[in-house]
Amino acid sequence: MKALIMSRELCKTQILIAWDGWKFAQDTNNRLLVRGYDKEKADEIGAAIGKLLRSKKYRERYPWVEPSSREGTSQAERWRPDKFMLERDDEDVKVPSMEAIGVKGQPIGGHFQMGHADDIEVDANANSEVEREVLFETHRNDANLFEAGSQRVLAGTPWSMLGLIYGTLYRKNGQEDHDIDVFKQACCNPIFDRDFSGHSPHLADDRRT
């Protein structure tokens, strides 16, 4: 798994959308699982990926990446913000090529070859013990949804020293034994290791970066 750890407004989502498009161009049989913090965020990402794949420039460059059509029509089959289907080698496969769900969502079924988890950690779940455990459990369970050799990318910004992104960056919080290739922006390091009173861990207020 790869981790892309950066602060806000540095195009993490756009980078991953471009990566998704490139991976589908390599093999239209790939299946992609997109995770966002909630369904609204996941749908936004899924819609952007679909828009890229159906754009004029993309279709001209990768004409073999085609939306699956309803039988006897030219209308795209199952093309929605949260899922779409591409033409594949096996026409009998009916599960979507892409599924976009929130942290608490469940995919329809089948295994994936690509994973795109984008800002699944935010202030609301990073700093809530209950919500943080839900996030960690989802992240652990997702490993069972991917075939051997699959490529997964986790993109986010550290919110808490107890959180998933911070743990991924520093191999803590249950992430010690995971094989993760981390790319980090320099400003993702803690600015202060303790607050001014000297009692509790403290990161800068700008997204704790």
Side-chain angles (χ1 to χ4, degrees):
M1 188 176 79
K2 295 183 181 296
L4 185 64
I5 301 177
M6 303 166 66
S7 58
R8 299 182 66 186
E9 310 301 335
L10 287 176
C11 302
K12 293 191 302 293
T13 300
Q14 289 82 353
I15 291 169
L16 291 191
I17 290 170
W19 179 78
D20 297 333
W22 169 242
K23 294 299 292 183
F24 276 126
Q26 291 180 317
D27 188 351
T28 57
N29 297 303
N30 281 325
R31 294 194 66 226
L32 168 66
L33 176 63
V34 173
R35 285 271 188 196
Y37 166 65
D38 55 18
K39 177 172 171 49
E40 181 180 0
K41 177 62 176 178
D43 284 358
E44 179 183 319
I45 298 169
I49 297 169
K51 183 178 180 180
L52 170 66
L53 268 57
R54 300 181 76 176
S55 67
K56 181 179 179 181
K57 287 186 177 181
Y58 186 91
R59 295 301 309 280
E60 289 175 348
R61 180 64 182 83
Y62 307 112
W64 58 88
V65 183
E66 297 183 291
S68 178
S69 300
R70 296 182 187 276
E71 187 173 354
T73 73
S74 60
Q75 184 179 4
E77 183 178 16
R78 301 186 189 178
W79 201 277
R80 302 186 342 212
D82 62 340
K83 60 177 64 74
F84 60 70
M85 185 177 293
L86 300 174
E87 292 287 353
R88 305 174 188 166
D89 294 337
D90 188 349
E91 296 180 356
D92 293 329
V93 176
K94 296 303 180 184
V95 289
S97 298
M98 185 281 299
E99 292 185 54
I101 54 180
V103 169
K104 297 179 181 180
Q106 295 293 327
I108 293 174
H111 287 84
F112 298 87
Q113 294 77 40
M114 302 157 53
H116 170 165
D118 193 341
D119 280 336
I120 57 175
E121 180 180 277
V122 296
D123 189 21
N125 56 12
N127 292 295
S128 163
E129 183 176 355
V130 173
E131 293 298 311
R132 190 167 59 240
E133 181 52 38
V134 170
L135 173 61
F136 274 96
E137 183 176 6
T138 296
H139 186 64
R140 288 192 298 266
N141 292 340
D142 274 358
N144 300 319
L145 301 176
F146 292 89
E147 295 181 349
S150 298
Q151 293 189 319
R152 301 170 60 195
V153 180
L154 171 66
T157 302
W159 279 97
S160 165
M161 285 186 170
L162 299 176
L164 174 64
I165 302 300
Y166 187 91
T168 299
L169 181 59
Y170 293 105
R171 298 296 195 272
K172 296 181 177 182
N173 306 337
Q175 308 304 302
E176 293 86 349
D177 298 328
H178 292 201
D179 183 14
I180 305 173
D181 181 14
V182 176
F183 172 85
K184 69 174 181 177
Q185 178 196 5
C187 71
C188 286
N189 293 314
I191 295 175
F192 302 109
D193 60 352
R194 296 190 178 278
D195 66 11
F196 293 116
S197 65
H199 296 296
S200 60
H202 177 76
L203 297 179
D205 289 334
D206 180 19
R207 290 276 294 209
R208 278 70 171 177
T209 58

